[in-house]
Each structure stands twice: as C-alpha cells, then as structure tokens.
Amino acid sequence: MPSNHQKIVPVILSGGTGTRLWPLSRDNHPKQFIGIMDVKTPIIQETIVRILDDNLFHQPLMVGNDAHRFMLAEQMKRCGIAEPKIIIEPSAHNTAPAITAAALYVQQHYGNALMLILPTDHIIGDTDAFLDGIHRAASAAQKGYLVTFGIQPDHPETGYGYIQRGNEISDRKNTFQVSSFAEKPDAATAERFLAEGNYLWNSGMFMFPAELMLDEMQNLQPDLVDACREALSASTQDNNFIRLQESAFERTKNISIDYALMEATRRAAVVALDCGWSDTGAWDLLWSVSPKDGNGNAVFGECYTLDSHDCYMRSENGPAIATLGVDNLVVIATKDAVMVTHKDKAQSLKKMVAHVRQRNPDLVQENQRVYRPWGAYERIHGGERFQVKRLTVKPGEKLSLQMHYHRAEHWIVVAGTARMTCDDITKVVTENESFYIPCGSVHSIENSGKINLDIIEVQTGSYLGEDDIVRLSDIYGRIKT
C-alpha cells in the first residue's frame, strides 16, 4: 500500500487495433477483446481483474474510442464493475493526449492521486511480482518521480523498445533513474543490450502523480495540455461514457507519452520488473509465451501436425489446420481468412494488412461476428439481393426502433423469446415461429426472456448495406443529432 493509504487510480488505455494479430484481430474487434492465452477469456478482462483490489486501487478508468465503447463497458461489467467510467476519444492521437485527458479527469475527481497507466493487452504471468512492482513504483512516485516499468530481458528481443537504467535510487530496491530510451533495435544491437546488462524492455506501463505529470506536461507540451483541458471541460456524458469535445481534442498533437514526457523530463525513473510479462503485439511473441507440445508447436483449436516444429497454429471458428514437414510458421485460420507467415516475418504483418485493406477492406475491419450493444450478429450466407444472418440478443436488451429503405426482413426465432414490433403490431414470438418485416416498416426486437435470443434473419432487397438503417429511437444513444 502506498504511504498514507493513498489509493491508486488505474487508467487502462484501449486505443489500438492489434494489426499484427490479424486476422484474429480486426479494426472493430481488436486483440484486447480476444482470448490470448485463455482463449475463452478476453485479455482485457485479465487486465481489469488484476487491479480490482479495493484496498489498493480505486475503480479503474478506461480510455477508448467510440467504436469500441459498448464492448469496453460490457467487459468492465463482466468483471464486476457495475458503473464503468469510460473516456471516449473522438479520434486516435496516440498515448500522450489520452493519458493527459485521463490525468485531468483524475485531478478533478481524486486530487493528486497516483495514476497507474496500463495497456489492455499485456500478459502478466506473476501477479504477485507485478503488484510488488506497483508498490515500488508508488513509493518512487510519491517522492517526485515519473515512473515507468522496465522488464528484465531474458533474450535479445527486437520487437520492444529498451530503457537504459542509470543509478539506483537510494532506499528504492530495483528502482533506477532513467539514463536513456532506445527504439526497437536490430538483432545485433539487441544482443549488445542484453550483454551489457543495464537495459530493460520498455513495457509501456507507468505510475504518475496526477499533478506532477500535468505540471511537467504543461512545461513540455503546453498546447496539448490546454487542448485536453478544453476537451474535458466541454465534454458530454451519456450512460457510462465521457465524450471529449471533438474540435478541442483534434488540436492535440499525435504523440506518444514516451516522446512527449518521459524522454524530456528530468524526473524519469524506472522500476525493474520480472513478472512473466509479455506484450501481445505479434504472433511470434505469443508463440514464445504459449504452452507447446514436444515439437515446440503452440496449437489452439482443431490443428494437426506431423514432422512440424516450433509453429504457432490457431483455428478460431475456422477450418482445421494440418501441417506436414514445416518449421517456424504461424498459421491462423478464421471463418473468412487464413494467414500463413514465417515467425521471423510476424513483426512485419502490418505490411500485409495494409495490402489486404487496399483490396478488401472488410477483411481488416470486421469479423464474421459483429458485436453490438444488444449482442452480436454473424453473416452466414449472401448473394445477389439476399443475405442471411444469425442475431444473438442478450436478455433484457433491445434493437433500436428502425426502418430500412431498400430491404425487407424475415425473422425466424430458433431459441428464446422475442417481443417484436412492426408498425402498429407488437407480438411475442417464440421458438420455431417467424415474423415478416416489409420494406419501409418501422420495427424493433426485444429479448423479453432470461436466455439469449437467437434469430435467423433473411434480408432481401436491392441494397443490403449496414448504412441502410434509419434509427428512430435507441436506448444506447446511437442516434446522431
């Protein structure tokens, strides 16, 4: 516990799209919402649960974007946070504006509290060692340091930035002044960093006293702080979301907290951690921390290997994978995409994603399963003038009251109980019953039962795009004025 029983405010940053984990990670359903080590538990939940000790932490504050807001709220609620607080960035401007806006919010509501800045998507193998590092970081922060966390390297990794530690801070075990920061190195430089023994991996986690961080940023990046202050002052709130004012936030510089603050301040300190940490940034990194078979293969889903070694293979609701006589491959299969690369090329996957985006942007933006605040839908089949989807509506949730100009819909209930509205008709529809929505009719669906409502939706018409939705009322605040 920090001195004087000062509780820490965790700030969780959820801004990335996880391009290097494509095709599992997509723009609208990125890696933080995917199970990484435990395929059934999204890694964001692991991050949240790690900092739920009421004796040490205040309720976490989330920072994310508008497209992911309902998924963020749902994940926080699944972790037992009944009333999440989520700051919504109008656009992605890197970590410095996001953390500055959060620091201003923390200052307003908690005074000069300590802030623990965490990405959503890190693996921590040893939670006790991680919490010990938090205690050490809190102690240094209370002494006037802006603290980052450095990971003790065990191999010459080229996928991470590095921190060169300086002198140890007196009475602060494994806590050092920062000598310098280094970008992701080439292989030879990474070997040298490891051999010298005074370099740590840059984890992207921080501990700041809110007021000290803002004072330093005011000196180093005054325009950015002023824009964030205006964006927060003019923010609006609906449900769990604090929406930063767009025009003010757009004036912020697109810059990381490392460049904006940590590399320029004289108050930087680093806590050395050995806690089984890994960034989930690329498939080769995941292979290195995953359980493996006797041939060094990390296998998830329906996969078959013969005379194959040191591969990462994962079939996620996709076709089965079979490999014969191959080594050091990454093979990822989803319902709509299969990606194969050598592990040595995994860090460069962004180039392939950019190539795919030019030719078929849907493969980068959306999964076959698309998440909505009421549940999700999944495309099953489609062709000229028709499309078939499976809708899953959570208990107590409701689709917006809406209409379509170009399509009709036929709904068949396969599980659960639906309260369906079409123009002036409201009807309870149960399993094996159907309901027809003519083109132009005002309609809605509500799950009035206690289990998930599953519906097969058949769309027919001249245009079937998702932008042919006119919302008339919506309990989730998605109608733009």
Side-chain angles (χ1 to χ4, degrees), residues 47-322:
T47 301
I48 294 168
V49 169
R50 206 174 285 133
I51 41 86
L52 287 184
D53 183 350
D54 290 339
N55 295 314
L56 184 58
F57 301 107
H58 288 289
Q59 176 177 307
L61 174 68
M62 188 74 68
V63 184
N65 64 39
D66 189 63
H68 302 156
R69 67 192 189 278
F70 292 113
M71 290 188 290
L72 290 172
E74 180 179 356
Q75 295 302 322
M76 295 181 80
K77 289 176 180 178
R78 287 186 180 183
C79 294
I81 301 171
E83 294 295 332
K85 295 297 180 186
I86 303 170
I87 294 177
I88 302 298
E89 298 176 280
S91 58
H93 279 204
N94 217 314
T95 53
I99 294 171
T100 301
L104 290 164
Y105 181 90
V106 169
Q107 185 184 45
Q108 284 184 6
H109 293 82
Y110 301 100
N112 189 30
L114 298 179
M115 304 164 52
L116 174 64
I117 313 298
L118 300 172
T120 54
D121 53 2
H122 288 180
I123 295 169
I124 303 290
D126 187 341
T127 300
D128 289 339
F130 174 68
L131 293 174
D132 177 70
I134 288 174
H135 284 284
R136 287 186 279 125
S139 178
Q142 288 175 329
K143 296 295 183 182
Y145 286 97
L146 298 168
V147 185
T148 184
F149 294 84
I151 307 302
Q152 191 66 49
D154 57 8
H155 65 276
E157 176 59 56
T158 60
Y160 302 143
Y162 283 72
I163 302 168
Q164 184 182 25
R165 56 179 174 84
N167 294 327
E168 190 167 24
I169 297 172
S170 60
D171 302 325
R172 300 288 178 267
K173 182 182 178 183
N174 288 325
T175 305
F176 306 87
Q177 294 176 338
V178 171
S179 179
S180 66
F181 291 85
E183 297 292 332
K184 295 176 182 178
D186 58 25
T189 305
E191 291 275 8
R192 177 172 63 82
F193 286 167
L194 184 65
E196 290 183 6
N198 62 338
Y199 283 87
L200 304 165
W201 290 334
N202 188 346
S203 72
M205 301 184 292
F206 307 92
M207 179 80 75
F208 299 146
E211 290 182 2
L212 175 61
M213 181 266 180
L214 291 170
D215 288 345
E216 285 288 281
M217 284 292 289
Q218 189 69 56
N219 291 331
L220 296 168
Q221 301 285 340
D223 293 342
L224 187 152
V225 176
D226 291 345
C228 285
R229 183 174 282 110
E230 182 179 337
L232 182 63
S233 177
S235 64
T236 58
Q237 184 163 348
D238 64 271
N239 297 320
N240 306 116
F241 311 119
I242 302 131
R243 297 179 177 273
L244 299 175
Q245 204 273 335
E246 184 172 4
S247 61
F249 193 78
E250 289 300 320
R251 298 202 308 271
T252 63
K253 185 187 299 185
N254 189 327
I255 188 171
S256 72
I257 198 68
D258 297 270
Y259 286 139
L261 176 64
M262 297 304 290
E263 295 188 17
T265 184
R266 296 181 178 180
R267 295 177 175 271
V270 58
V271 165
L273 274 182
D274 186 4
C275 62
W277 174 92
S278 177
D279 181 9
T280 58
W283 293 116
D284 60 324
L285 298 175
L286 288 188
W287 172 83
S288 68
V289 298
S290 295
K292 303 174 184 67
D293 65 19
N295 291 318
N297 299 307
V299 175
F300 300 87
E302 189 176 358
C303 302
Y304 306 93
T305 69
L306 190 61
D307 193 24
S308 300
H309 306 86
D310 301 323
C311 295
Y312 185 98
M313 299 188 298
R314 181 164 179 167
S315 179
E316 190 88 359
N317 299 317
I321 296 170

Side-chain angles (χ1 to χ4, degrees), residues 228-447:
C228 285
R229 183 174 282 110
E230 182 179 337
L232 182 63
S233 177
S235 64
T236 58
Q237 184 163 348
D238 64 271
N239 297 320
N240 306 116
F241 311 119
I242 302 131
R243 297 179 177 273
L244 299 175
Q245 204 273 335
E246 184 172 4
S247 61
F249 193 78
E250 289 300 320
R251 298 202 308 271
T252 63
K253 185 187 299 185
N254 189 327
I255 188 171
S256 72
I257 198 68
D258 297 270
Y259 286 139
L261 176 64
M262 297 304 290
E263 295 188 17
T265 184
R266 296 181 178 180
R267 295 177 175 271
V270 58
V271 165
L273 274 182
D274 186 4
C275 62
W277 174 92
S278 177
D279 181 9
T280 58
W283 293 116
D284 60 324
L285 298 175
L286 288 188
W287 172 83
S288 68
V289 298
S290 295
K292 303 174 184 67
D293 65 19
N295 291 318
N297 299 307
V299 175
F300 300 87
E302 189 176 358
C303 302
Y304 306 93
T305 69
L306 190 61
D307 193 24
S308 300
H309 306 86
D310 301 323
C311 295
Y312 185 98
M313 299 188 298
R314 181 164 179 167
S315 179
E316 190 88 359
N317 299 317
I321 296 170
T323 62
L324 173 62
V326 299
D327 299 332
N328 294 302
L329 291 186
V330 175
V331 186
I332 310 298
T334 66
K335 280 192 173 182
D336 59 348
V338 176
M339 189 281 299
V340 182
T341 185
H342 195 279
K343 284 213 310 284
D344 289 348
K345 296 292 186 181
Q347 292 284 345
S348 302
L349 192 56
K350 284 185 177 182
K351 296 177 183 178
M352 174 54 72
V353 173
H355 178 66
V356 174
R357 191 186 296 274
Q358 287 183 334
R359 303 185 64 179
N360 188 352
D362 285 348
L363 272 181
V364 177
Q365 293 168 358
E366 296 277 10
N367 278 306
Q368 289 288 94
R369 186 172 177 83
V370 179
Y371 293 85
R372 293 289 184 259
W374 43 262
Y377 69 82
E378 185 174 354
R379 299 181 183 94
I380 298 174
H381 189 50
E384 187 176 356
R385 296 182 64 91
F386 81 94
Q387 183 170 222
V388 182
K389 295 179 178 179
R390 181 177 184 134
L391 279 62
T392 300
V393 186
K394 295 178 291 187
E397 304 297 338
K398 180 181 181 181
L399 278 67
S400 62
L401 187 67
Q402 59 187 249
M403 63 160 293
H404 312 294
Y405 285 113
H406 304 289
R407 71 176 185 249
E409 295 174 339
H410 193 172
W411 294 335
I412 304 102
V413 175
V414 295
T417 302
R419 187 172 184 267
M420 295 187 174
T421 297
C422 181
D423 293 328
D424 296 330
I425 301 172
T426 297
K427 181 180 179 182
V428 174
V429 182
T430 59
E431 187 173 329
N432 295 323
E433 296 181 332
S434 63
F435 202 73
Y436 176 67
I437 307 296
C439 183
S441 293
V442 175
H443 61 281
S444 181
I445 314 171
E446 180 179 0
N447 183 349

